[in-house]
């Protein structure tokens, strides 16, 4: 069983920045990532990163968001710049561990003036 604890969400104006952080209760030897779900929409992948540091991004966030992880601390962060109103969603941390995907409780990100 893996516990994922997210932090860093909040309200920001368009063009602003936020940094999300997630800490896992176990060492994750596979993928970690961030997903998001806006009201009335399906959950979608935002960014993922392997233990070796290989990254993948949704087209909608390329060039604006950066995912990183610290394997020694069991953390994965998402730096979000140039935020847009359409980035408003609940953001979920995700980790793949021993054949199972685990999810955090989610953190709200609201981009509004």
């Amino acid at each position: 069983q893996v516990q994922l604890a997210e932090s860093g969400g909040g309200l920001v104006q368009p063009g602003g920045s936020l940094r999300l952080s997630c800490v896992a209760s176990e060492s994750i030897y596979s993928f970690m990532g961030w997903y998001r779900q806006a009201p009335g929409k399906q959950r979608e992948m935002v960014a993922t990163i392997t233990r070796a540091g290989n990254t993948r991004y949704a087209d909608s966030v390329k060039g604006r968001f950066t995912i990183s992880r610290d394997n020694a601390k069991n953390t994965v962060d998402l730096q979000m710049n140039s935020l847009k109103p359409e980035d408003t969603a609940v953001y979920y941390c995700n980790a793949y561990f021993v054949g199972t995907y685990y999810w955090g409780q989610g953190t709200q990100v609201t981009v509004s003036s």
Side-chain angles (χ1 to χ4, degrees):
Q1 192 80 6
V2 175
Q3 307 295 324
L4 300 173
E6 301 124 331
S7 61
L11 173 64
V12 64
Q13 292 187 342
S17 298
L18 279 176
R19 187 176 184 88
L20 305 182
S21 295
C22 173
V23 58
S25 59
E26 302 285 342
S27 294
I28 304 300
Y29 290 92
S30 186
F31 293 92
M32 298 187 76
W34 289 93
Y35 288 68
R36 67 186 181 187
Q37 187 166 18
K41 295 187 177 181
Q42 289 189 330
R43 190 172 297 187
E44 62 175 359
M45 185 274 292
V46 176
T48 62
I49 185 168
T50 67
R51 187 171 179 84
N54 297 310
T55 58
R56 184 164 66 105
Y57 295 93
D59 288 343
S60 59
V61 307
K62 283 181 181 177
R64 299 188 299 121
F65 291 10
T66 302
I67 189 170
S68 60
R69 69 187 282 177
D70 186 328
N71 295 324
K73 297 181 179 179
N74 300 332
T75 59
V76 59
D77 291 350
L78 186 68
Q79 177 65 43
M80 304 185 294
N81 299 329
S82 302
L83 282 161
K84 304 175 181 180
E86 51 263 44
D87 295 318
T88 295
V90 178
Y91 284 70
Y92 296 91
C93 179
N94 170 264
Y96 184 73
F97 181 78
V98 192
T100 301
Y101 288 96
Y102 291 90
W103 297 91
Q105 79 285 357
T107 185
Q108 178 69 46
V109 171
T110 302
V111 185
S112 175
S113 56

